[in-house]
Amino acid sequence: MTSTHKDLKRADYHVAWICPVADVELLPARLMLDEEYPTPTYDTHYDENTYICGTIKGHTVVIATCPQGETGNVNAGRLTGPMFKTFPNIRMAVLVGIGGGIPRAQDCENALDDIHLGDVAVGWPGDGKPACVYHDRGRSQVGRFEMIGTMADPDWRLSNALSILASDHRLGQTKFRDQLARLQDHKEFAHPGFEHDRLFKAGYHHIGAYNSNCAACDKQELVQRPSRTEDDKSKMVFHRGRIATGNSVIQNAELRDQISGRCDGAICVEMEAAGVEVNRKCLVIRGISDYADSHKSDVWRSCAAGKAAAFTRELLCRVQSGVIKAMEEIAEAPWLVPFTRPFAFIGRENQLARLSEHVLMEDSRRLAIYGLGGCGKTALALVSAYRIKEQQPARAIFWVPAFNPESFEQAYRDIGTRLGIPGITANGADVKKLVKERLGDPDFGQWLMIVDNADDTSIFSDSSEKQSGVDRLIDWLPLSRKGSFIFTTRTRKIAIDLAGSNVICLSELDESEAKEMLKQQLLRKDLIEGDEVYVFLKILAYLPLAIVQAVAFVNGNNTRLSQYTDLFIKSETDATDLLSAEFEDQGRYQNTKNPVATTWYISFKYIQQKDPLASEYLSFMACTTGENVPASLLPHESTGRAHIEAIGTLDAYAFITIRQQRQRTQQARGQEEAFDIHQLVRLATRAWLREHNQWDIWAEKALTRLVEVVPFGDYKTWEIWIAYLPHGIHVVNLSELYNTGGRILLLDRIGYCERELGHFKAAKWAFKQVLDKREESLGKGHPDTLSSKANYATALSDMGEDADAENMLRETLAMSEITFGRENPFTLVVMSYLGQAISVQRKYAEAEQIHREEIALSEKVLGKEYRDTLKSMDNLGWALSGQRKDVEAEQIHREALFLSEKVLGKEHRDTLKRMNYLGRALSGQKRHVEAERIHREALFLSEKVLGKEHRDTLRSMNYLGKALSSQEKYVEAEQMHRETLFLSEKVLGKEHRVTLVVMDHLGGALSGQGKYMEAEKMYQRALDGYEKALGHEHIWTLRIVFDLGNSYRSQGRLVEAETMYQRALDGYEKAQGCKHVRTLQVVNNAGILYQRQGKLVEAEKMYQRALDGLEKALGHEHTWTLVVIDNLRTLTACRAERTEVKETQTEALP
């Protein structure tokens, strides 16, 4: 009965009753309502469902069903996604209808305990395991089947009510008879009789047609089990257990039993629960209409549906309406799609259904959409994203443009920022690795990643790297059982490479879809009538982009379709050859003209005449990557109203898309507007510019503008210029600009920026390009060439190629002395670089000599208080410390600190650095208390002046931690290093050099406390980072290998320690020679290891080798020399006395 006095709003409904099978499940659902109310008004543009509204015992209930014949998970999701948007306060969902019963595997003495037709199965096993699982998702393991898809359980208050209902049922205190009485006027809900309840053995298959009532089946094949009585007909029999859901109807008893086995004894199998669950927690209630075998028929469908509806009403009657209102609303997942929903999207329902089904499969499955540019690949993916968001609000959705590695990385950076991944915004952060790890975490949840414009196989899936040193993008796609991928690409080959046979070939719209799109877009609806519509659509080849562009022209000029058609035909000669090479496709006839290009040609000609600035913007953007072009990058001749109108014109013609504004962070506060030019339009524009001899002009303008805005790697503004970098890299690779001077200027800036970001390989490539070009054009002795040579040498040093860096700097120094003279400031800079390169190789004596000469010249030319002179003093101090000349190093550092405080001030950044250098020199003399005091003061001032997260502050923290460890204050040191590590990972990233150094020092603090296992993990993390960043043979990598060997030795894991020592020894001998101090350090500790293994002869040889080398390198009285002498003396004494040498009797070198 429908009530007219109730006028409830959509927000007033709290219970969703979903009955997917309309012809069987809808009627009993409606019969359970106390009253029916008029359905509130809702937006049918995004919600095409039809609803029944009413009440049950004070609960406001909305009933929804799938269209006739459209069932399954995908259709259930399509039904409930919009439903939960239309009725925003739904707190409880019940999926009520019919399903296939799975009889108990064990024999039941009581007939009511086993599953029979007409019973009700409720999704609540009560065993702490999931109530509903995907039976068709899993992996075969040894001896078992691993499920990889489960769904959230119903709200605990609902399960609590279910438990009470079960108890009341046993006590005879339910009103099931009253609920069933609501069905008595409809004969189809009557009990069919137990003679129609037949359970055949699993291996016996049906004989005869569907609905033949098993007339030809052998009754000897029936399962023998206790029979029910006539009194049982009127009883409500329900079973609580696990429900198995999938994407297909099960009509195979053997498969049914397998499903039950691998789903922990599921009692029912059905098809819609997964589609509902992804939107809202849902209680599944199924009337058993068959046994999911080949004997399935329609006899029990209505009875089972009625029983399920009656059970649901009884359950709802036992839950207070206030309890349901208090149930939690599900929060929406992260959404990072930078475009609005396409207004003019029409059709493609089959493809959208396939995309929805694909996403439900998860398990990192891939699907690729391919087709001609302009056919709507991106639009299809975008509409799919919005639909999936509506259907599955718990699923995170990310949009990643893959036009080039830089746009891909920028999208990953945006994802990481949105997810709040620690360290994602840090200078030098490996954003791809961080995002891959986060989305690969099984605890993250469900997600979909749409990778758009995956068109360049050379950067996406080829095994070889590009010249700039970027890895394959496909390697950075996360792997997760809860994730899915959708790719769009222009080529079939890439689609197959990415997704195998799981591809969608997207062609043009059909005639009716194209006409509907035209109707939606046109302002004048009267233009739809007449044959001219079909001519108009035909010349545009029914391509969505072509239609959108053409209608923008018609609307903007208030013309008729025939006028546009006439223009098209008249310009055919000009348009035929416009982009003949750019848009050829192997899947099309060779002589086919590109309809999108010809449509663009008409529109662009008009824009040139009416809005020249818009034409200029389009030409400029065509020279960039075409994606995420910042507004601040555009030429700034015109601003204000002219700029707004120009962007509006391009947007109106759908040539560009205005991205949602990206919020800058911290140093780059404010909002930055950015634009995407459609890739096809971009290529068409470039071809047009070439055709009209304007390409070189605009490419040069883009280059000039990028030289203006890209800095020399300014750390303070990196969040601004990082958006320019992809466009700069693109422009310097344009062949037309290869021999221009501006290209070299931009490459130089790119090298500095890449180095600032920690992209050392890319920086090396950029600096090498500059060097080669300047040597070719300017000569080897030109000042600019020498500057480039110095930059390239520093890049080599960053990559750990120190010997090559040294050789190059020696050449540069020699040429600089010839060109400028020995006392020229640039010569002194190169001399400083050379000294540092030599110091890194631990050739400290030679480095000392160079730095002393450098200081003398710098004092003479620049003055003792000049900043470069002070830096030279710093470098000299380091070289002295490396030789353990710590007293001299202290004197140098004190003098440099005094002058720095005098010239720059006590709180200047360089002054604070010099305080730490002095502290390090004091530690070298074992004056750790003084060192600690100085480091604490430096840290205090650094936090005050620079902030706690500044790189220099982190270095001060690390110095202080080392000073504490040197005093054996390991607990305090550990605390300091852990705090430093946390901040360093956050600010700089997990693989930054500073972070790796802190890991190493934290490992030392842990080892000092005997926490060897924790120390080992920290060393291993540092080793992994160094190996990736610098290679397996870099001396910094070898240092961690040595520390890891010490950790193994301290734990008594002598075989593993020997392996590490041998690797470190081989590496040091190769990199620095057999007589280097670091090599001899490993030799001493290897002697201790052999001693503990009882290999005393080998131990003695190692000690003697270390002693001979250290006496020559450091002298007889050096601490390390004396340590080895004591070790050798202890070994000799123990051999004479034939006693075991204990670990405490020998001393390792640090």
Side-chain angles (χ1 to χ4, degrees):
M1 176 181 174
T2 302
S3 171
T4 58
H5 67 276
K6 289 284 187 180
D7 186 21
L8 297 180
K9 294 179 172 54
R10 290 181 287 117
D12 295 327
Y13 287 88
H14 301 101
V15 178
W17 183 312
I18 300 116
C19 46
V21 185
D23 60 334
V24 176
E25 300 167 352
L26 179 58
L27 177 58
R30 296 182 68 173
L31 292 173
M32 295 301 123
L33 295 175
D34 295 328
E35 289 184 291
E36 284 191 15
Y37 298 153
T39 302
T41 303
Y42 56 94
D43 187 353
T44 57
H45 177 69
Y46 75 87
D47 188 349
E48 299 177 352
N49 296 327
T50 301
Y51 300 106
I52 304 295
C53 297
T55 60
I56 295 177
K57 199 69 173 179
H59 298 294
T60 48
V61 180
V62 55
I63 300 174
T65 186
C66 293
Q68 189 80 20
E70 296 184 14
T71 57
N73 285 341
V74 172
N75 288 307
R78 194 181 300 167
L79 167 75
T80 55
M83 179 185 189
F84 293 134
K85 294 288 185 181
T86 297
F87 297 92
N89 289 330
I90 295 294
R91 294 294 183 268
M92 169 184 170
V94 287
L95 178 63
V96 187
I98 56 176
I102 305 179
R104 310 283 187 187
Q106 300 81 16
D107 294 336
C108 299
E109 295 182 3
N110 188 337
L112 297 179
D113 291 338
D114 200 1
I115 304 288
H116 282 259
L117 301 185
D119 290 356
V120 174
V122 187
W124 184 247
D127 58 1
K129 298 179 181 180
C132 201
V133 297
Y134 301 96
H135 67 73
D136 50 4
R137 303 188 200 178
R139 292 190 177 92
S140 295
Q141 303 287 349
V142 179
R144 66 186 181 91
F145 187 85
E146 179 189 6
M147 299 304 301
I148 63 172
T150 63
M151 292 171 284
D153 291 337
D155 189 276
W156 65 272
R157 284 158 285 206
L158 200 57
S159 58
N160 187 45
L162 181 61
S163 298
I164 296 174
L165 173 59
S167 176
D168 287 349
H169 187 49
R170 293 175 64 88
L171 296 172
Q173 296 178 4
T174 60
K175 296 183 179 180
F176 282 125
R177 291 183 182 276
D178 294 343
Q179 319 305 356
L180 291 170
R182 290 172 168 267
L183 306 172
Q184 62 188 6
D185 292 338
H186 299 268
K187 295 182 180 180
E188 64 264 38
F189 298 117
H191 195 285
F194 289 125
E195 66 274 14
H196 296 292
D197 181 6
R198 303 186 185 93
L199 174 62
F200 286 89
K201 296 175 183 177
Y204 181 73
H205 300 290
H206 178 68
I207 299 175
Y210 185 80
N211 270 340
S212 64
N213 204 22
C214 291
C217 294
D218 187 355
K219 304 303 185 287
Q220 297 299 316
E221 296 295 329
L222 288 170
V223 174
Q224 300 301 313
R225 58 178 182 167
S227 301
R228 292 189 178 177
T229 66
E230 286 298 312
D231 291 340
D232 295 333
K233 280 187 178 182
S234 59
K235 293 180 180 178
M236 172 66 76
V237 182
F238 65 91
H239 310 268
R240 290 174 293 172
R242 189 164 291 102
I243 305 293
T245 186
N247 289 307
S248 58
V249 176
I250 304 300
Q251 290 183 271
N252 183 313
E254 293 168 308
L255 176 58
R256 172 202 67 198
D257 292 344
Q258 291 174 13
I259 291 172
S260 178
R262 66 194 188 199
C263 295
D264 286 328
I267 63 172
C268 176
V269 61
E270 58 92 72
M271 290 177 59
E272 286 83 22
V276 178
E277 185 277 336
V278 292
N279 299 282
R280 204 60 54 101
K281 290 182 177 181
C282 177
L283 178 65
V284 183
I285 300 171
R286 290 301 198 183
I288 304 302
S289 61
D290 58 74
Y291 289 119
D293 57 12
S294 59
H295 306 275
K296 179 177 181 176
S297 71
D298 296 340
V299 174
W300 286 88
R301 296 178 78 212
S302 294
C303 174
K307 289 286 188 72
F311 179 90
T312 305
R313 176 181 168 85
E314 177 68 13
L315 178 61
L316 286 175
C317 288
R318 293 171 172 276
V319 181
Q320 296 293 325
S321 61
V323 171
I324 291 181
K325 293 178 184 178
M327 291 181 180
E328 295 181 0
E329 181 180 11
I330 293 181
E332 292 192 357
W335 166 263
L336 207 63
V337 177
F339 307 107
T340 58
R341 189 172 193 154
F343 168 72
F345 189 87
I346 295 294
R348 314 290 199 192
E349 290 300 324
N350 290 337
Q351 291 88 346
L352 287 168
R354 183 173 171 189
L355 288 169
S356 295
E357 185 174 3
H358 162 74
V359 172
L360 286 175
M361 297 299 290
E362 299 183 337
D363 203 23
S364 292
R365 294 177 187 265
R366 300 175 182 175
L367 183 148
I369 307 167
Y370 74 91
L372 179 68
C375 67
K377 302 180 295 295
T378 296
L380 175 64
L382 189 56
V383 170
S384 176
Y386 275 91
R387 286 200 181 183
I388 291 167
K389 178 188 178 185
E390 293 168 355
Q391 297 168 1
Q392 307 176 34
R395 184 181 299 277
I397 300 179
F398 308 108
W399 190 278
V400 177
F403 177 73
N404 58 30
E406 290 72 37
S407 62
F408 186 95
E409 179 160 347
Q410 183 61 47
Y412 263 47
R413 189 183 304 279
D414 292 340
I415 291 171
T417 302
R418 173 65 177 83
L419 299 180
I421 298 176
I424 196 70
T425 59
N427 179 29
D430 191 343
V431 295
K432 297 191 293 294
K433 181 175 183 292
L434 292 174
V435 172
K436 179 180 179 180
E437 290 176 346
R438 183 69 184 98
L439 296 185
D441 186 345
D443 294 330
F444 177 82
Q446 298 171 317
W447 54 263
L448 165 66
M449 181 179 290
I450 298 174
V451 183
D452 192 33
N453 285 322
D455 296 327
D456 191 347
T457 185
S458 67
I459 64 171
F460 206 88
S461 56
D462 268 3
S463 58
S464 60
E465 296 182 356
K466 295 192 74 178
Q467 282 184 321
S468 58
V470 180
D471 294 333
R472 300 189 314 163
L473 298 185
I474 198 171
D475 295 330
W476 296 109
L477 298 177
L479 297 176
S480 170
R481 294 176 179 178
K482 298 180 180 179
S484 303
F485 292 95
I486 295 174
F487 299 88
T488 71
T489 180
R490 295 181 62 193
T491 69
R492 180 188 299 107
K493 181 181 182 303
I494 295 179
I496 294 173
D497 288 344
L498 292 172
S501 61
N502 194 24
V503 297
I504 292 177
C505 177
L506 204 61
S507 58
E508 67 275 8
L509 298 170
D510 64 38
E511 191 173 86
S512 61
E513 290 173 336
K515 185 177 180 181
E516 182 62 25
M517 171 180 279
L518 179 62
K519 182 179 179 180
Q520 283 196 11
Q521 289 283 299
L522 278 175
L523 296 178
R524 291 178 55 187
K525 306 303 180 186
D526 61 296
L527 299 179
I528 296 296
E529 306 303 325
D531 294 338
E532 65 185 44
V533 171
Y534 300 101
V535 178
F536 177 83
L537 294 173
K538 186 175 182 180
I539 65 171
L540 298 175
Y542 306 102
L543 288 176
L545 179 59
I547 295 170
V548 170
Q549 288 178 329
V551 172
F553 178 89
V554 172
N555 287 339
N557 295 279
N558 195 26
T559 65
R560 298 189 62 82
L561 299 182
S562 58
Q563 289 176 284
Y564 183 93
T565 303
D566 290 339
L567 282 172
F568 180 88
I569 295 172
K570 289 177 182 178
S571 66
E572 186 174 6
T573 302
D574 293 332
T576 300
D577 298 326
L578 185 61
L579 286 177
S580 57
E582 293 279 7
F583 298 102
E584 288 183 0
D585 181 66
Q586 296 299 320
R588 294 173 60 83
Y589 296 103
Q590 291 184 357
N591 295 326
T592 300
K593 291 176 288 189
N594 191 311
V596 178
T598 51
T599 301
W600 166 86
Y601 180 71
I602 297 168
S603 300
F604 186 62
K605 248 174 131 179
Y606 184 80
I607 291 175
Q608 276 190 307
Q609 297 170 2
K610 298 296 183 181
D611 196 340
L613 183 60
S615 172
E616 292 178 10
Y617 278 178
L618 187 64
S619 299
F620 181 88
M621 284 190 270
C623 299
T624 68
T625 68
E627 293 196 351
N628 198 24
V629 181
S632 56
L633 180 58
L634 295 176
H636 278 195
E637 288 82 1
S638 297
T639 56
R641 178 178 175 180
H643 168 80
I644 294 172
E645 290 179 348
I647 294 299
T649 297
L650 296 177
D651 184 39
Y653 279 91
F655 283 173
I656 67 169
T657 300
I658 302 175
R659 280 180 171 249
Q660 294 178 0
Q661 291 180 327
R662 181 172 60 87
Q663 181 72 39
R664 293 176 176 177
T665 57
Q666 296 225 286
Q667 294 94 340
R669 297 184 184 276
Q671 290 186 329
E672 172 77 81
E673 193 176 45
F675 315 103
D676 290 333
I677 176 174
H678 189 283
Q679 179 65 10
L680 187 59
V681 174
R682 171 177 171 270
L683 294 175
T685 306
R686 290 156 70 97
W688 188 93
L689 291 171
R690 289 189 177 97
E691 182 76 14
H692 291 79
N693 298 318
Q694 294 187 40
W695 169 249
D696 290 351
I697 296 172
W698 279 103
E700 185 73 38
K701 286 183 177 181
L703 176 62
T704 301
R705 178 61 182 156
L706 283 160
V707 171
E708 291 174 359
V709 298
V710 176
F712 289 97
D714 182 13
Y715 173 71
K716 295 180 180 178
T717 60
W718 73 271
E719 291 189 81
I720 297 176
W721 55 255
I722 196 171
Y724 305 145
L725 199 56
H727 307 293
I729 293 170
H730 172 78
V731 168
V732 297
N733 284 304
L734 294 175
S735 59
E736 296 85 353
L737 300 174
Y738 190 77
N739 292 316
T740 62
R743 176 178 183 268
I744 303 305
L745 296 176
L746 182 54
L747 272 168
D748 208 21
R749 287 164 167 77
I750 289 172
Y752 279 101
C753 290
E754 295 284 25
R755 188 181 185 194
E756 188 67 52
L757 293 172
H759 300 166
F760 300 130
K761 193 173 184 180
K764 175 185 171 184
W765 172 81
F767 285 136
K768 184 65 164 64
Q769 297 290 309
V770 176
L771 175 59
D772 290 346
K773 197 62 184 175
R774 284 180 170 167
E775 283 184 339
E776 176 187 335
S777 60
L778 302 176
K780 293 187 176 182
H782 192 278
D784 290 346
T785 305
L786 295 177
S787 176
S788 298
K789 202 164 189 176
N791 285 338
Y792 182 56
T794 60
L796 290 173
S797 184
D798 287 333
M799 289 297 297
E801 301 172 35
D802 300 305
D804 291 338
E806 177 189 345
N807 292 335
M808 183 161 287
L809 286 167
R810 287 189 185 280
E811 292 177 13
T812 308
L813 180 60
M815 297 185 71
S816 182
E817 289 176 347
I818 295 172
T819 304
F820 304 115
R822 192 163 184 77
E823 297 180 355
N824 184 273
F826 178 75
T827 304
L828 298 179
V829 169
V830 177
M831 190 179 294
S832 177
Y833 287 165
L834 175 60
Q836 293 175 58
I838 293 173
S839 279
V840 169
Q841 301 174 71
R842 300 185 183 275
K843 296 188 288 186
Y844 296 115
E846 187 177 357
E848 176 190 349
Q849 181 181 352
I850 291 173
H851 287 310
R852 287 192 184 279
E853 184 178 1
E854 173 198 346
I855 291 173
L857 291 170
S858 187
E859 288 180 352
K860 176 182 177 182
V861 176
L862 303 173
K864 192 175 183 67
E865 297 179 353
Y866 194 74
R867 291 184 66 178
D868 285 355
T869 306
L870 298 180
K871 289 180 181 179
S872 300
M873 295 175 69
D874 296 336
N875 293 333
L876 175 59
W878 281 94
L880 291 169
S881 292
Q883 302 172 74
R884 291 297 186 261
K885 297 179 180 180
D886 297 302
V887 175
E888 292 180 71
E890 178 192 350
Q891 293 173 350
I892 291 293
H893 286 309
R894 284 194 184 278
E895 185 178 3
L897 177 59
F898 170 79
L899 293 172
S900 188
E901 290 179 348
K902 175 184 176 183
V903 176
L904 302 175
K906 191 174 181 65
E907 296 184 352
H908 190 276
R909 180 181 175 186
D910 289 351
T911 304
L912 300 179
K913 288 182 180 179
R914 292 185 176 102
M915 292 177 70
N916 284 318
Y917 298 162
L918 175 58
R920 183 178 183 272
L922 292 170
S923 289
Q925 302 172 63
K926 299 188 181 301
R927 292 158 63 185
H928 302 303
V929 176
E930 295 177 70
E932 177 187 348
R933 179 183 57 78
I934 289 177
H935 288 314
R936 287 193 184 278
E937 184 180 2
L939 177 58
F940 172 78
L941 292 172
S942 188
E943 288 180 347
K944 173 186 174 183
V945 176
L946 304 174
K948 196 170 183 68
E949 296 184 354
H950 193 278
R951 283 187 295 183
D952 289 354
T953 305
L954 298 177
R955 289 190 176 99
S956 293
M957 295 173 70
N958 190 49
Y959 277 124
L960 177 57
K962 282 288 290 181
L964 291 169
S965 285
S966 298
Q967 300 173 70
E968 298 185 358
K969 298 179 180 179
Y970 295 118
V971 175
E972 293 180 69
E974 177 189 350
Q975 183 179 354
M976 179 59 62
H977 285 314
R978 286 196 184 279
E979 184 180 1
T980 311
L981 180 60
F982 171 79
L983 292 172
S984 187
E985 288 181 335
K986 175 184 176 183
V987 177
L988 304 176
K990 291 186 178 181
E991 295 182 1
H992 194 278
R993 285 188 180 182
V994 172
T995 306
L996 299 177
V997 169
V998 177
M999 287 181 187
D1000 183 19
H1001 293 170
L1002 175 56
L1006 292 167
S1007 293
Q1009 301 173 70
K1011 299 178 179 179
Y1012 298 118
M1013 294 299 292
E1014 294 182 63
E1016 177 188 338
K1017 292 178 181 178
M1018 199 55 59
Y1019 287 139
Q1020 190 61 57
R1021 284 181 59 189
L1023 178 60
D1024 293 341
Y1026 277 123
E1027 286 179 339
K1028 180 176 180 181
L1030 302 174
H1032 291 257
E1033 297 182 354
H1034 194 279
I1035 55 174
W1036 292 1
T1037 305
L1038 298 174
R1039 173 68 196 185
I1040 304 300
V1041 171
F1042 177 59
D1043 288 342
L1044 194 54
N1046 290 337
S1047 178
Y1048 287 145
R1049 179 177 54 77
S1050 298
Q1051 299 175 63
R1053 295 159 61 181
L1054 303 183
V1055 175
E1056 294 167 273
E1058 184 175 0
T1059 300
M1060 290 293 105
Y1061 283 152
Q1062 190 61 54
R1063 176 182 168 185
L1065 183 57
D1066 292 342
Y1068 277 131
E1069 286 179 341
K1070 179 179 179 181
Q1072 298 183 312
C1074 297
K1075 298 180 180 180
H1076 194 275
V1077 172
R1078 282 298 182 192
T1079 306
L1080 300 173
Q1081 184 183 22
V1082 180
V1083 169
N1084 174 75
N1085 288 18
I1088 296 174
L1089 175 70
Y1090 288 140
Q1091 192 171 318
R1092 290 198 61 188
Q1093 292 176 317
K1095 302 176 181 178
L1096 303 185
V1097 174
E1098 290 88 341
E1100 183 177 3
K1101 290 180 179 179
M1102 285 293 177
Y1103 286 145
Q1104 192 61 56
R1105 175 184 168 184
L1107 179 59
D1108 294 343
L1110 291 173
E1111 283 180 336
K1112 291 180 181 180
L1114 302 178
H1116 297 276
E1117 302 301 322
H1118 193 277
T1119 304
W1120 285 13
T1121 307
L1122 298 176
V1123 165
V1124 179
I1125 291 173
D1126 286 342
N1127 289 343
L1128 188 59
R1129 184 182 297 116
T1130 301
L1131 174 65
T1132 303
C1134 291
R1135 289 181 67 183
E1137 299 175 8
R1138 296 183 180 182
T1139 58
E1140 181 182 353
V1141 180
K1142 298 180 180 178
E1143 175 79 11
T1144 54
Q1145 293 177 284
T1146 55
E1147 186 175 352
L1149 293 180

